[in-house]
């Protein structure tokens, strides 16, 4: 089949779905998947001689350009021209295609380079944090998230100072194994500092994040306690000696990606810790409503997303308050994924899932008006979902995943078309 969300089946030959991660103007493509429309089109190696036939290599070369981050070109001779004009010409790159790739990946010498690699890479997440010690000075490249792990042997102050000379804007965060302790997000400066006093001996993490731009930096780490554990000094084997990722562990971890989504039941209530993306998967057995209510306390800003197996179907990204709500009616039975995304800060949260099936279709022919069971005014509730309220309270709630444990494999395979969720919204 060819999902309608991918475009018209008769005119769309292929599509590239990409996922992104980042902040501000600094984003990385973390996954790109190409789909070829075999529902209508036939792919060959060579020049087509009839309708709905395409040269596979020409289409693939165009889509791989999208996977590298290129958009469409206005030049018909370019591989990245929006339409396939037949033949095999798109197999070979036009000067416009080459210029586009070179502008995205400057450096030369054998293909795209990764300027974010330094002696402590790859330390792009807390689980791969690079080991450092109190008193170390780390030299790094601020082009992606850089995580560092410290193991202290005695109580006292844990602190770090970050400095750089480029026009980039970097931020600095300090975590214990359970929570965020301090952050520094100064603007119009080339220095950040974090500190937490009276801390017990144990595991600590530092995060250098590039909000905007990139550039070389130095990170000076000081603390009263001496280093210990298996971190091994500057850029040792980090996270393996440091216990849990900072603030990220709850009963459902590790559920940081869609492939690791924790199976849950709907209806149900989830208590979690938002320090990284938390994915949950549930199955509905009948067509009906799906309502999600996310609440938390503190100054954090959390966002909420709902996807089915092929696309994003709902999002709530309020910039104020401590609540997000997604409420949808007439959703087909099937597998769904939910992601709680911490836009800013960390927080303990509660996520309530409600799934309902219609008990009465409200057929006007049966003597009822057609607002009888749809939350209309005649039932005393409006159609505006509220926090702590099931916005579809007139629906009969049916267990959507009977027998599913909070951990383990759901009754059906969860197959989300990779990359359809095109990056979580970052508002900063």
């Amino acid at each position: 089949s060819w999902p309608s969300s991918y475009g018209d089946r008769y005119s769309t030959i292929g599509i590239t779905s990409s996922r992104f991660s980042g902040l501000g103007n600094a984003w990385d493509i973390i996954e790109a998947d190409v789909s070829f429309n075999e529902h209508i089109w036939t792919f060959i190696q060579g020049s087509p001689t009839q309708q709905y036939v395409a040269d596979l290599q020409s289409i693939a070369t165009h889509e791989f350009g999208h996977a590298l981050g290129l958009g469409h070109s206005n030049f018909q001779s370019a591989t990245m021209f929006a339409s396939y004009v037949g033949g095999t010409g798109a197999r070979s790159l036009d000067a416009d295609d080459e210029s586009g790739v070179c502008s995205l990946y400057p450096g030369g010498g054998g293909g795209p380079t990764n300027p974010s690699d330094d002696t402590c890479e790859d330390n792009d997440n807390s689980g791969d944090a690079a080991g450092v010690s109190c008193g170390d000075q780390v030299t790094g490249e601020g082009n992606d998230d850089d995580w560092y792990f410290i193991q202290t042997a005695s109580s006292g102050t844990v602190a770090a100072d970050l400095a750089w000379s480029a026009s980039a804007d970097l931020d600095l965060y300090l975590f214990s194994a359970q929570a965020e302790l301090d952050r520094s997000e100064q603007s119009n400066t080339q220095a950040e500092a974090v500190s937490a006093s009276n801390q017990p001996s144990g595991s600590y993490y530092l995060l250098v994040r590039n909000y905007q731009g990139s550039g070389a930096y130095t990170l000076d780490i000081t603390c009263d306690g001496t280093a210990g554990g298996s971190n091994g000094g500057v850029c040792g084997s980090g996270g393996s000696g440091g216990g849990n990722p900072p603030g990220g562990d709850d009963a459902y971890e590790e559920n940081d990606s869609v492939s690791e989504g924790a199976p849950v039941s709907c209806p149900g209530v989830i208590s979690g810790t938002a320090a990284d993306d938390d994915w949950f998967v549930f199955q509905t057995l009948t067509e009906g409503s799906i309502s999600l209510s996310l609440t938390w306390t503190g100054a954090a800003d959390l966002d909420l997303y709902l996807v089915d197996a092929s696309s994003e179907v709902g999002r709530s990204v309020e910039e104020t308050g401590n609540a997000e709500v997604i409420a949808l009616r007439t959703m087909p039975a099937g597998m769904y994924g939910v992601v709680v995304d911490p836009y800013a800060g960390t927080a303990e949260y509660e996520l309530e899932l409600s799934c309902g099936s219609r008990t009465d279709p409200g057929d006007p022919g049966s003597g009822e008006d057609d607002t009888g069971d749809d939350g209309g005014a005649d039932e005393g509730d409006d159609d505006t979902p509220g926090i702590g309220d099931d916005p579809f309270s007139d629906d009969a709630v049916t267990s959507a995943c009977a027998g599913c444990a909070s951990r383990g494999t759901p009754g059906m395979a969860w197959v989300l078309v990779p990359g359809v969720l095109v990056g979580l919204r970052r508002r900063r």
Side-chain angles (χ1 to χ4, degrees), residues 47-239:
S47 297
T49 59
Q50 55 187 315
Q51 193 176 23
Y52 300 122
V53 178
D55 174 45
L56 175 63
Q57 188 172 336
S58 293
I59 303 304
T61 307
H62 175 97
E63 297 303 329
F64 294 160
H66 287 315
L68 288 172
L70 292 175
H72 285 140
S73 171
N74 293 324
F75 296 96
Q76 187 169 335
S77 59
T79 296
M80 296 310 298
F81 186 66
S83 300
Y84 174 55
V85 296
T88 60
R91 295 180 177 186
S92 301
L93 300 187
D94 184 78
D96 185 62
D97 302 309
E98 295 176 351
S99 296
V101 173
C102 288
S103 69
L104 290 177
Y105 301 94
T113 60
N114 182 6
S116 66
D117 276 348
D118 50 49
T119 57
C120 297
E121 291 287 348
D122 283 320
N123 58 335
D124 299 342
N125 58 68
S126 58
D128 296 321
V132 293
S133 297
C134 298
D136 280 348
Q137 182 179 84
V138 180
T139 301
E141 291 288 337
N143 290 333
D144 55 14
D145 286 355
D146 286 348
W147 284 87
Y148 299 97
F149 163 70
I150 314 162
Q151 182 78 26
T152 63
S154 60
S155 61
T157 298
V158 180
D161 293 280
L162 178 68
W164 64 96
S165 57
S167 59
D169 183 0
L170 306 184
D171 295 333
L172 182 61
Y173 303 81
L174 173 64
F175 302 88
S176 70
Q178 292 78 36
E180 180 179 322
L181 300 177
D182 193 20
R183 63 169 58 193
S184 182
E185 299 174 322
Q186 302 296 318
S187 300
N188 302 317
T189 180
Q190 294 175 310
E192 307 281 3
V194 293
S195 179
S197 59
N198 300 317
Q199 296 300 309
S201 60
S203 304
Y204 295 89
Y205 293 79
L206 291 164
L207 167 61
V208 177
R209 169 162 286 174
N210 63 320
Y211 165 59
Q212 190 169 13
S214 61
Y217 64 81
T218 57
L219 179 67
D220 290 287
I221 302 157
T222 58
C223 42
D224 296 334
T226 56
S230 60
N231 53 316
V234 173
C235 300
S237 58

Side-chain angles (χ1 to χ4, degrees), residues 18 37 47 129 150 220 240 315 323 358 379 396:
S18 300
N37 180 7
S47 297
I150 314 162
D220 290 287
S240 61
R315 64 168 56 189
R358 286 296 189 190
E379 296 185 51

Side-chain angles (χ1 to χ4, degrees), residues 19 24 33 96 102 104 174 195 204 231 241 245 275 331 345-346 361-362 365 378 400-401 404 427:
R19 290 190 66 202
D33 298 275
D96 185 62
C102 288
L104 290 177
L174 173 64
S195 179
Y204 295 89
N231 53 316
M331 301 301 293
T346 61
D378 58 322
C401 196
C404 286
R427 299 185 304 274

